[in-house]
Amino acid sequence: MEIGSTIRHFREERGYTLDDLAGRAGISPSYLSEIERGHKRPSLKTLDKICTALNIPRETLIPAENSVSLGDKIRMVRQEKGYSLKELSAKTGISFTYLSEIERGVLHPAADTLNRIAAALEVPLSLLVSHTENWIGKKLKDVRESLGLTQSALAAQAGLSPALIGQIEAGKVQPSLNTIEKIARALGISPCYLLVARDQLEEMLASMGPDLRELLLNENVQAVLRQICYLNDKQLRFLLKFIEVFKQAQLE
């Protein structure tokens, strides 16, 4: 069943009116009505509220086989960054209507459009487009098990639920940037390790000379790279400018 009709099915099964469920979920009755009729596509946060109010697992509304779509990822990151569609439209130069259709899955953007969206959201493009393989979940599980941590132990250290850790490892949930950062801190690794696909890393390493690859194994260099992963766009641009000035001074 569609998400809207599924919500209505469980609502009526529990004897809730629209007002009852809306009040329990903390959303307006009119918005809930539009969701049930398929006129509105709720955010993942709203779906979580509805599932909690209905006392059903989120997988009931978002089956594992319907993994988070490109539009869902863009909307999820946009909302986490605190941008409205209009604000993201202004930052990207892409029309509000076009962005809305991308998030609703009506249109699939061209590569250039995706690059502009990723740059405006300050996230790697791979975070938005890599969804055919559960490499984030696999990497997470590998690191967790190598440290001898159970899902519950990691969840406790990261301030998350064991169920969420399990869903990420199983590829049922695409974690938000905030969640990835919490997990990375708990594991003592860089968020970049979880965000960048293995094949991308291998491609980058293959293009490097042996001297550069050996340099990257240096502990001090790795410590610097781990810090760079936490820089925002403005800080990174400042660092690159500093390096450029430093290299120019060395030449002179």
Side-chain angles (χ1 to χ4, degrees):
M1 291 187 292
E2 295 294 329
I3 288 178
S5 58
T6 304
I7 292 173
R8 183 172 61 251
H9 167 77
F10 282 101
R11 175 176 63 77
E12 292 174 347
E13 186 180 69
R14 282 154 176 70
Y16 295 155
T17 64
L18 274 170
D19 288 341
D20 291 335
L21 181 56
R24 289 170 176 268
I27 59 178
S28 70
S30 60
Y31 182 44
L32 178 59
S33 176
E34 289 184 311
I35 292 173
E36 288 192 353
R37 288 182 287 123
H39 294 171
K40 291 286 187 180
R41 186 172 182 177
S43 67
L44 297 180
K45 185 176 181 180
T46 299
L47 284 177
D48 278 335
K49 290 180 178 179
I50 293 173
C51 288
T52 299
L54 290 171
N55 193 28
I56 58 175
R58 192 170 69 164
E59 289 75 19
T60 304
L61 300 183
I62 311 177
E65 60 269 24
N66 295 333
S67 57
V68 181
S69 67
L70 171 63
D72 287 331
K73 291 179 185 179
I74 293 173
R75 183 174 64 251
M76 179 173 62
V77 177
R78 173 178 62 77
Q79 291 174 339
E80 185 170 285
K81 295 282 185 177
Y83 296 142
S84 66
L85 266 175
K86 289 184 178 179
E87 289 170 330
L88 182 58
S89 174
K91 288 176 69 69
T92 58
I94 301 169
S95 74
F96 173 93
T97 303
Y98 189 46
L99 280 175
S100 176
E101 291 182 327
I102 291 173
E103 289 193 355
R104 290 185 289 115
V106 177
L107 295 175
H108 193 283
D112 177 62
T113 301
L114 269 177
N115 277 317
R116 288 157 65 185
I117 293 173
L121 293 174
E122 299 180 0
V123 297
L125 182 62
S126 59
L127 180 65
L128 300 179
V129 300
S130 296
H131 60 279
T132 56
E133 183 183 0
N134 178 32
W135 43 268
I136 291 181
K138 290 179 179 178
K139 286 184 175 184
L140 169 56
K141 185 176 181 180
D142 287 344
V143 177
R144 176 180 61 77
E145 291 182 343
S146 70
L147 295 175
L149 294 173
T150 63
Q151 291 181 349
S152 296
L154 174 58
Q157 291 184 30
L160 303 169
S161 70
L164 178 58
I165 298 296
Q167 290 173 339
I168 294 172
E169 291 188 356
K172 295 181 179 180
V173 171
Q174 178 74 28
S176 68
L177 293 178
N178 185 46
T179 297
I180 288 175
E181 288 176 344
K182 288 180 179 179
I183 292 173
R185 282 195 295 270
L187 293 173
I189 60 174
S190 163
C192 292
Y193 177 78
L194 297 175
L195 287 173
V196 180
R198 192 181 306 277
D199 56 348
Q200 290 176 302
L201 289 174
E202 290 174 350
E203 182 180 342
M204 290 166 56
L205 290 173
S207 66
M208 297 176 182
D211 292 340
L212 182 54
R213 286 200 296 268
E214 182 178 353
L215 181 63
L216 289 175
L217 295 176
N218 184 283
E219 292 184 2
N220 292 329
V221 174
Q222 291 183 9
V224 172
L225 292 176
R226 280 193 291 271
Q227 292 300 316
I228 290 176
C229 286
Y230 290 100
L231 298 181
N232 58 37
D233 181 67
K234 185 177 180 180
Q235 293 169 329
L236 185 57
R237 289 180 185 277
F238 175 83
L239 178 60
L240 293 175
K241 185 65 176 178
F242 174 81
I243 293 174
E244 183 180 334
V245 173
F246 177 77
K247 288 173 64 178
Q248 192 64 35
Q250 292 291 92
L251 291 174
E252 297 174 355

